Amino acid sequence: METEAIEEPVSKPSNTYTIRPNYKHKFRPAKVKDDVHAILTEYLKDKRYDKDEVSEWTKELSELIKKRLKEMEFHRYKFVVQVIIGEQRGEGVKMAARCFWDSDTDSTVNDIFMNDSLFCVAAIFGVFYY
C-alpha cells in the first residue's frame, strides 16, 4: 500500500503596512472635542487660579486627555496634547501652530474653558503613523 504525501499550499505573506486608517479608527475631531470639553469642565469648574498649582494642573489635564484618546482606539495615531492655563485678567492671548501633515488622515482639536479666575486652552493634534 502506497501513501502519497499531500502538500499543503504555502501561503504567501502579505504586506502589513497601512497607508490609511480604517474608517472606524479614523481620528474624529467632533467626538474628541466633546470629550476634551467635558474633561476641562469637570476638572476646572471649581478651581481658582493659583500660580503654584497651575503647572501640576496642566500636567494632569494633559494626561487625562491623553488617556481618553487612547481609550477611543484611534489605531496607529500619535497624539500631541498641549494645555495652557492662565490667569483671567481681561488680556488677550493668541496661539498659533503650524504642521506639515496629511489632511486626509491628520487633524487637530482645540477647546477653551474659562471662568472668572482662569482660562484654559487645550490643543490636540492627531497624526496618523505610517
Side-chain angles (χ1 to χ4, degrees), residues 43-100:
Y43 189 88
L44 296 170
K45 66 182 176 186
D46 297 325
K47 300 251 195 268
R48 306 289 303 159
Y49 183 81
D50 181 347
K51 66 180 176 144
D52 297 327
E53 294 191 38
V54 167
S55 179
E56 189 62 32
W57 295 348
T58 58
K59 290 176 193 171
E60 289 175 9
L61 280 169
S62 296
E63 288 299 321
L64 287 170
I65 293 169
K66 189 173 71 171
K67 181 180 174 191
R68 180 64 188 121
L69 289 168
K70 287 181 181 181
E71 291 169 358
M72 296 174 87
E73 295 184 351
F74 297 122
H75 295 240
R76 296 189 59 160
Y77 271 88
K78 291 194 174 245
F79 300 104
V80 177
V81 178
Q82 180 182 21
V83 176
I84 299 169
I85 298 176
E87 187 173 8
Q88 188 72 276
R89 302 171 112 188
E91 299 172 0
V93 174
K94 299 202 187 276
M95 283 183 58
R98 292 183 182 249
C99 301
F100 184 70

Side-chain angles (χ1 to χ4, degrees), residues 24-56:
K24 70 180 186 175
H25 296 137
K26 191 172 182 181
F27 188 75
R28 292 183 301 280
K31 174 67 176 137
V32 172
K33 186 172 177 80
D34 291 343
D35 287 4
V36 169
H37 185 74
I39 290 168
L40 294 180
T41 302
E42 181 64 29
Y43 189 88
L44 296 170
K45 66 182 176 186
D46 297 325
K47 300 251 195 268
R48 306 289 303 159
Y49 183 81
D50 181 347
K51 66 180 176 144
D52 297 327
E53 294 191 38
V54 167
S55 179
E56 189 62 32

Side-chain angles (χ1 to χ4, degrees), residues 27-30 32-33 80 97 99 101 106-110 122-126:
F27 188 75
R28 292 183 301 280
V32 172
K33 186 172 177 80
V80 177
C99 301
W101 63 17
D106 307 336
S107 194
T108 181
V109 172
N110 299 302
I124 296 89
F125 301 90

Side-chain angles (χ1 to χ4, degrees), residues 114-127:
M114 289 192 293
N115 64 20
D116 292 339
S117 175
L118 60 84
F119 68 87
C120 177
V121 179
I124 296 89
F125 301 90
V127 182

